[in-house]
Amino acid sequence: MAKVKSVFVCGECGYESSGWLGKCPACGEWNTFFEQKLQSEPEQDKRGIGSSAKERSPRAVRIAEKINYAETERNAGDRIKTNIEEFDRVLGGGIVKDSLVLIGGDPGIGKSTLLLQIGGSLCGSGTVLYVSGEESVEQISMRGERLKVANEDMLVMAETDFEAIENYALEIKPSVLIIDSIQTVYMKSIDSAPGSMAQVRAVTASLMRIAKDGKIAVFIVGHVTKDGNIAGPKVLEHMVDTVLYFEGDNYLNYRILRGVKNRFGSTNEIGIFEMRQGGLYQVPNPSESMLSGRPMNEPGTAVISIVEGSRAMLVEVQALMCNTVYGMPRRTATGFDYGRMNIILAVLEKKLGLVTSDKDAYLNIIGGLRLTEPACDLGIAAALISSLRDKACDSLAAYIGEVGLTGEIRSVNQIEKRIGEVQRMGFEKVYIPASNYEVMQRSGELEKFGNIKIIALKRLNELIN
């Protein structure tokens, strides 16, 4: 008879304890522990796919041999191209055949739509098995008809029993397996409800084994909590090869696919899509899309050049400052760190003499983007100053730089890439830190940007002058 073990698991971070605890020592949350009965898996489940215990005995190999083999496979085109360039970019060049990819995002953001379109784009790349625990086959077919999915090698299946999914996958041996979503799939050998800590972790571990042993690319969808984290154990992100977050606002058309972990490519790479009636469409020129409809010669608007992964693009920031009618001014930031905005406002008042303590301040990043890099500071400051003094910024100027607490403009990375995007979009002027300008001057990089005026700033008060 299988041995039964009872543990207490934190519902927020997955920390395990032999007894109940009021406060989780890992994440610090209160009253999140619940009792979880774990039943050991049958002996045959612990072995590999279609192999005996003798075949699964551990053996060490020389790393040089595996490196040469991996290089040969890469040269032979080991990655699977989806023909969706924005998606391939985030993955690092395509789908790795034995990888496990986790995609998270808010409900209704487009995760299932994206995966269904990916499955439809893999014509000629082998069988694609799409398993849904939330929709029936008829509903998936209706959505596929709307998205014009026409891959004859794509199979759809409505199932939540993991053993049935595993047996069918081993029978047909698909090249890509899609599970939508991981919270709906359960194992009968685990004595807990679907979506619980033990179920999600056990199913993910088994899917990892299927991916590695069967050379199958597996995609799983993970629901997110109200805090934006993937529901269930945070350890899911440590178990999989790649973690992608689908970001955006349900009321806006743009969607951003962001890679936060990738064992086969660079992290923090993004792909930009636009949600339309016919599904998700790629945005090959995000700068043009983000700046479309930008008001010209209006106070409170500025353009900044940001870098996301290997891509530079221009984004519009809008600010509004007005007299407060309350005892304490209101401050609101959408798409930008609220605390960082308050720091910039404090620098404007202390170092430039601009009175902001009696003003309401509202900041918005157009397009639904969330900006975190310090290179946005100078553009944020320019928009706030423009709104405060009711004087428009130059419509053909862009701003790049970090603002220090003493009012200095500090250098940023990848300045040539940022200026190159400003030049490509037809802007005539760009404000950059003086330290970056001196480095470019010594290296001769300034000669490449002869048709754009580059203005170096050492301190923030030079921007007003």
Side-chain angles (χ1 to χ4, degrees), residues 108-271:
I109 203 69
K111 303 183 298 295
S112 301
T113 299
L114 176 64
L115 288 174
L116 195 59
Q117 289 186 221
I118 291 170
S121 67
L122 293 173
C123 297
S125 300
T127 304
V128 178
L129 178 59
Y130 184 98
V131 181
S132 176
E134 303 173 348
E135 297 177 285
S136 65
V137 174
E138 290 76 13
Q139 290 174 326
I140 301 173
S141 301
M142 290 173 59
R143 193 152 49 87
E145 182 180 2
R146 178 174 61 86
L147 300 176
K148 299 180 180 180
V149 175
N151 185 0
E152 296 183 356
D153 296 326
M154 183 175 180
L155 306 176
V156 294
M157 179 181 182
E159 184 59 68
T160 57
D161 185 358
F162 177 76
E163 284 76 9
I165 297 172
E166 182 182 23
N167 293 334
Y168 189 69
L170 296 178
E171 177 184 347
I172 66 173
K173 292 183 172 57
S175 59
V176 176
L177 172 62
I178 300 172
I179 305 293
D180 185 10
S181 66
I182 190 66
Q183 278 84 8
T184 61
V185 180
Y186 69 94
M187 283 184 172
K188 295 179 180 179
S189 57
I190 304 294
D191 186 18
S192 60
S196 63
M197 192 74 60
Q199 288 283 3
V200 170
R201 187 162 45 188
V203 171
T204 303
S206 298
L207 288 173
M208 175 65 79
R209 173 173 52 85
I210 292 175
K212 302 304 179 185
D213 292 352
K215 298 294 181 182
I216 299 173
V218 180
F219 290 87
I220 58 178
V221 174
H223 296 162
V224 299
T225 63
K226 60 181 180 180
D227 297 326
N229 299 320
I230 294 178
K234 195 69 174 177
V235 293
L236 264 187
E237 298 188 7
H238 302 283
M239 297 173 64
V240 302
D241 296 314
T242 303
V243 179
L244 307 179
Y245 275 99
F246 215 29
E247 304 172 355
D249 195 324
N250 290 332
Y251 302 102
L252 298 176
N253 292 333
Y254 293 112
R255 303 286 189 270
I256 299 171
L257 184 66
R258 186 184 304 274
V260 297
K261 174 188 176 181
N262 193 353
R263 289 174 178 162
F264 313 112
S266 63
T267 57
N268 292 324
E269 193 72 63
I270 67 167

Side-chain angles (χ1 to χ4, degrees), residues 291-303 316 318 366 392-393 395:
L291 298 180
S292 62
R294 179 171 66 102
M296 308 296 285
N297 300 318
E298 283 287 338
T301 178
V303 175
E316 179 191 358
Q318 290 186 350
I366 302 301
C393 296
S395 299

Side-chain angles (χ1 to χ4, degrees), residues 100-111:
L100 178 59
V101 180
L102 173 64
I103 299 181
D106 295 330
I109 203 69
K111 303 183 298 295

Side-chain angles (χ1 to χ4, degrees), residues 398-416:
Y399 302 86
I400 306 169
E402 177 183 357
V403 176
L405 292 181
T406 62
E408 81 279 12
I409 308 300
R410 306 184 67 90
S411 62
V412 299
N413 60 355
Q414 304 186 63
I415 188 67
E416 293 86 0

